[in-house]
Amino acid sequence: RWSSRPRIGVGLFIFVLVLVVSDCGGDDDAKADPDERPTSTTTTTLSPEQEVEQAYRDFVAMTQSVLLAPDPTHPEIAALATADARANLERTLEAMQADGRSFRTGQRDKQTILSNSISGDTATLSVCDVEHSGVYDAATATEVEPMRVVTQLIDVTLRREAGVWKVSFVQDY
C-alpha cells in the first residue's frame, strides 16, 4: 500500500530518506527576477542548453499538476517524459489514485539548475531541488502528511526523441 509522499523531480517516485538542509549552495541572488518581463516581442531561438532546461521546467510543472489530481493517463506525461521517468510517474499516479491521495507543493518549492551537459541526443542536468510539499486526501483535501521542506541534489537525464527533449531518468542522492 502506498503511504509515502512522491518526490517531485527527485525520485519523483522513489521514496527515500534524505538529509534536510537549507540549500544546495550557490548564489540565489544571481538568479533573474521571475516577475521581470522582456521588453521586446522579438522571437528568439533557444540554444540547445535552453531547450533542455525548458523541457525540464515543463516536466516539473506537469508533474506538480498531475500529482495534484492524479491521472496516470494524462497526455502531457507522454509528451514530456519517457523511459523510467514516465513509467515511474505513471505507477506513482496509479497508486495515489487508488489510495485517494493528492500531492501539493508550497511556496518554497524551487528547482535550480546548477549544470547542463549535452552529448548528442542525451542531456544531463544537475539540479538543486528544494521541495516544499505535503500529501492530502483527494476527496476531502484533509492533510495526510504535513507540508515540509526537503533539499537535495539530483541528476536528471533527458533524451531527445523526434526532436523533442523528454525527461527519461531522475537520480537522487
Side-chain angles (χ1 to χ4, degrees), residues 87-142:
N88 290 336
L89 178 57
E90 289 171 342
R91 276 194 301 272
T92 296
L93 293 170
E94 288 168 2
M96 290 179 71
Q97 198 173 52
D99 287 345
R101 301 288 188 239
S102 68
F103 181 86
R104 295 183 194 168
T105 57
Q107 293 176 335
R108 293 180 289 189
D109 196 79
K110 178 181 178 182
Q111 296 74 37
T112 303
I113 298 169
L114 304 174
S115 68
N116 181 339
S117 173
I118 300 173
S119 179
D121 288 335
T122 302
T124 304
L125 300 177
S126 176
V127 179
C128 176
D129 181 47
V130 179
E131 181 182 313
H132 182 204
S133 60
V135 178
Y136 294 80
D137 182 284
T140 65
T142 304

Side-chain angles (χ1 to χ4, degrees), residues 9-10 19 21 23-24 112 114-115 125-130 151-155 171-173:
V10 178
L19 176 63
V21 295
D23 66 29
C24 293
T112 303
L114 304 174
S115 68
L125 300 177
S126 176
V127 179
C128 176
D129 181 47
V130 179
T151 301
Q152 64 183 349
L153 180 66
I154 61 171
D155 286 331
Q171 174 67 52
D172 59 354
Y173 298 97

Side-chain angles (χ1 to χ4, degrees), residues 5 8 15 32 43 46-47 57 69 88 102 107 138 140 151 159:
R5 68 179 57 228
I8 295 283
F15 308 120
T43 303
L46 297 178
S47 70
R57 287 186 191 99
N88 290 336
S102 68
Q107 293 176 335
T140 65
T151 301
R159 192 167 61 203

Side-chain angles (χ1 to χ4, degrees), residues 24-64:
C24 293
D27 182 9
D28 287 340
D29 293 336
K31 306 296 179 270
D33 180 355
D35 294 328
E36 195 172 290
R37 303 278 186 242
T39 57
S40 172
T41 58
T42 305
T43 303
T44 57
T45 303
L46 297 178
S47 70
E49 291 79 8
Q50 290 170 322
E51 287 178 4
V52 167
E53 292 176 11
Q54 187 59 53
Y56 171 68
R57 287 186 191 99
D58 291 347
F59 171 81
V60 170
M62 174 274 298
T63 301
Q64 291 173 343

